[in-house]
Amino acid sequence: NVMITAVSLGATIGGDATSDITILNDDGSSVSFTQQTYSGEEGGVTEVCLVLNNQLDMETSVTLSISNSVTGYDDAENDDYSGVLTVVTFVPLNQMSCFNITFPDDTEYEFDEAIKLTIDTTGSGLNPGTITEADVIITDDDRPQIRGDNTTIFENRSPVRVCVDLRGATQSTS
């Protein structure tokens, strides 16, 4: 509580002379992803969120960089995803900021792909938090399906022909 009790230069105290002031702690504020791995299927959407460890009383932004190289996954191309923000803004008194990444559907069989997002706090006044890199996995929804008829094979008999129906593949998988 702050109360104005004296003024100078001929000013007068008008209305309510008492006000509440809230002081927020912005010392050592850091920003992190809420998790290390996000995932979604082609034709779907996933929400990616960043969180501050303290509320701030002013707007602040961080930059995200995008890399198409994640160990164990094929590199995602730019047309495999959309909606990734390169600047994420936190409004005053809000500790979380989220955005949606959309994964357009296609009909091509491909291995699961991924991108890596990295938080850059340069110039933001924030410190890097505990999770500054997050992988976004794009799961392919066009996996080929193999279907065959049940067949009984007897030992020491002539060869048996097995028919297989391969559906959903639009490129060679050999």
Side-chain angles (χ1 to χ4, degrees), residues 108-111 144 166 168-174:
E108 184 177 331
Y109 169 71
E110 52 201 350
F111 294 106
L166 180 61
T170 57
Q171 73 184 51
S172 172
T173 59
S174 58

Side-chain angles (χ1 to χ4, degrees), residues 49-173:
C49 294
L50 284 74
V51 64
L52 298 171
N53 68 328
N54 294 316
Q55 284 186 347
L56 299 177
D57 62 349
M58 60 187 177
E59 183 174 285
T60 190
S61 299
V62 295
T63 303
L64 293 184
S65 62
I66 305 166
S67 166
N68 290 342
S69 181
V70 177
T71 304
Y73 295 93
D74 279 3
D75 296 347
E77 298 181 20
N78 291 341
D79 61 351
D80 289 323
Y81 59 91
S82 64
V84 177
L85 297 180
T86 55
V87 175
V88 177
T89 301
F90 294 90
V91 296
L93 306 180
N94 193 344
Q95 286 182 258
M96 189 171 293
S97 184
C98 300
F99 60 91
N100 289 328
I101 300 177
T102 302
F103 309 112
D105 201 3
D106 62 27
T107 57
E108 184 177 331
Y109 169 71
E110 52 201 350
F111 294 106
D112 292 345
E113 301 166 305
I115 59 174
K116 182 179 292 292
L117 304 177
T118 304
I119 299 171
D120 180 1
T121 59
T122 305
S124 69
L126 298 172
N127 297 313
T130 55
I131 306 173
T132 59
E133 291 184 340
D135 296 337
V136 180
I137 311 303
I138 306 166
T139 305
D140 186 54
D141 68 344
D142 302 303
R143 301 213 186 272
Q145 300 172 2
I146 298 176
R147 194 188 83 207
D149 295 327
N150 292 334
T151 304
T152 302
I153 301 173
F154 295 99
E155 264 185 307
N156 300 320
R157 302 272 174 108
S158 51
V160 174
R161 173 185 269 178
V162 177
C163 295
V164 175
D165 183 9
L166 180 61
R167 298 175 189 251
T170 57
Q171 73 184 51
S172 172
T173 59

